[in-house]
Amino acid sequence: MGRPPCCEKIGIKKGPWTPEEDIILVSYIQEHGPGNWRSVPTNTGLMRCSKSCRLRWTNYLRPGIKRGNFTDHEEKMIIHLQALLGNRWAAIASYLPQRTDNDIKNYWNTHLKRKHNKLQNGGNDDQEGHSSASSQSQPKGQWERSLQTDIKMAKQALFEALSLHKPITNTTFPETKPSISHINTTTITSTYPTKQPNNASSYASSYENISKLLENWMMKFPNTPNSLRNNMVPTGSSSSKLANSTTGQCSPDLAFDSLLSFNSSSQSVVEDSDSNMKINKAGLFQDQRKTNMENHHVPLTLLENWLFDDGAVQCNEDLMNISLEESTAGLF
DNA sequence: AAAGTAAACAACCGCAATACA
DNA sequence: TTGTATTGCGGTTGTTTACTT
């Protein structure tokens, strides 16, 4: 028997997601946690294929996503990482945990590629942007993978090591998860990296998107059951109110956070001496880092400094100044 | 104001990698 | 060990929005 398609072609809805669908998906994931995407359409009644559900969640709905307004720093990192790694957007995104690979890819294709080509070729846009990695004529070779793996591990190991001894500051780890100030006690974690500040601003961007959608939806469908409504929309919330969260002051939209029920891992990291990821209530998340990081002792190097992002500007400049050979030396 | 064009972004598709029985 | 199911990734396309003429 052959392998069935990931989704039945008949009766599968395509195109933009509606707020109703978002609500259903978010509600389901709140209860069951992300994962087992195959069963999501069946269990939720969504007329979407599992891939579509996963993509919607990972690229748009999940908390911790920062959207739009790439900073100069992020831009430089993308350019440099792209040169280093090529079009491996997921790998690049792992260094910008608030950004999705899709977002970075789009940003590269729409903003940076041209800009980068101009700088490199004096305005000749015809040539492909990723130069270093591809121009080295090495395919996605082992050295790349090793580099990626080692950097990742070093980053995690260092973070974990330091998290045992000192609180994490916003400046140290700029990426964000839902603010702990308005999170309920349900312990859910995620696949996100653990270094998270107590800063709601970036979460608010996706949070705001969803909330706006929900709000509009609620206006359109005032007959929404109270149970759902209470969970979905912050009481008396408005887009402007939500927008406050971008100022660094967390908008107390308890209801929506309650819907999402994500705990802050920054808090978790500080509090948990073993700094392992907490397990979500569905028990779907495994602590993969534990095994990964055990027995790793990584010395601080320029690379790690850069990875830690503290004093990121200087470190990044240093890193960007060093050659690929230098940056990979000692990894093999 | 309307039409045309470009830019931005969300989503889809197909393949590869990984997990699992 | 092998075959199948599931998930992840990168390339690409489609739609919407902004801008120009």
Side-chain angles (χ1 to χ4, degrees), chain A residues 249-288:
Chain A
Q249 284 200 334
C250 175
S251 175
D253 298 293
L254 298 168
F256 194 78
D257 280 326
S258 174
L259 164 67
L260 293 175
S261 297
F262 283 94
N263 208 342
S264 162
S265 71
S266 69
Q267 183 79 354
S268 303
V269 165
V270 173
E271 289 176 356
D272 295 353
S273 61
D274 65 359
S275 77
N276 288 335
M277 283 185 180
K278 288 188 173 180
I279 310 297
N280 74 341
K281 62 182 175 183
L284 291 172
F285 288 118
Q286 304 290 322
D287 185 356
Q288 297 173 329

Side-chain angles (χ1 to χ4, degrees), chain A residues 200-214:
Chain A
S201 60
S202 56
Y203 170 60
S205 58
S206 56
Y207 171 57
E208 188 177 350
N209 284 341
I210 301 164
S211 293
K212 279 179 182 170
L213 292 170
L214 292 170

Side-chain angles (χ1 to χ4, degrees), chain A residues 109-173:
Chain A
N109 287 331
T110 56
H111 293 87
L112 300 181
K113 192 153 87 177
R114 227 172 306 148
K115 206 166 163 181
H116 187 56
N117 284 345
K118 261 187 181 173
L119 286 174
Q120 275 208 328
N121 308 321
N124 182 357
D125 281 0
D126 292 340
Q127 297 179 29
E128 265 303 307
H130 53 91
S131 46
S132 304
S134 50
S135 68
Q136 293 186 7
S137 71
Q138 285 189 12
K140 297 171 186 173
Q142 284 194 328
W143 71 269
E144 267 189 354
R145 295 182 188 283
S146 299
L147 171 66
Q148 172 71 17
T149 304
D150 287 4
I151 288 173
K152 211 174 213 170
M153 292 174 82
K155 188 177 176 181
Q156 287 183 330
L158 279 162
F159 168 66
E160 289 195 356
L162 293 181
S163 72
L164 301 181
H165 306 299
K166 64 177 184 185
I168 313 304
T169 64
N170 288 352
T171 53
T172 305
F173 302 118

Side-chain angles (χ1 to χ4, degrees), chain A residues 147 151 300-308 319 322 327 331:
Chain A
L147 171 66
I151 288 173
L300 271 172
T301 66
L302 186 61
L303 191 59
E304 282 89 36
N305 281 330
W306 169 66
L307 293 169
F308 263 80
L319 182 77
I322 65 174
S327 63
L331 290 176

Side-chain angles (χ1 to χ4, degrees), chain A residues 198-245:
Chain A
N198 182 10
N199 176 347
S201 60
S202 56
Y203 170 60
S205 58
S206 56
Y207 171 57
E208 188 177 350
N209 284 341
I210 301 164
S211 293
K212 279 179 182 170
L213 292 170
L214 292 170
E215 198 176 348
N216 291 335
W217 183 69
M218 289 302 172
M219 287 180 181
K220 267 172 59 184
F221 303 98
N223 294 331
T224 307
N226 280 340
S227 57
L228 183 60
R229 177 179 295 272
N230 290 339
N231 271 334
M232 294 303 166
V233 176
T235 310
S237 73
S238 67
S239 298
S240 60
K241 179 183 171 188
L242 287 162
N244 287 341
S245 57

Side-chain angles (χ1 to χ4, degrees), chain A residues 172-189:
Chain A
T172 305
F173 302 118
E175 67 268 32
T176 308
K177 292 189 70 174
S179 166
I180 57 171
S181 64
H182 56 282
I183 298 286
N184 70 13
T185 54
T186 309
T187 302
I188 295 180
T189 51

Side-chain angles (χ1 to χ4, degrees), chain A residues 58-78:
Chain A
T58 55
N59 286 339
Y60 197 87
L61 295 175
R62 74 171 160 92
I65 294 177
K66 186 173 154 191
R67 308 188 65 76
N69 298 327
F70 279 75
T71 64
D72 285 348
H73 177 221
E74 287 174 319
E75 204 174 294
K76 282 176 186 170
M77 283 188 76
I78 292 169

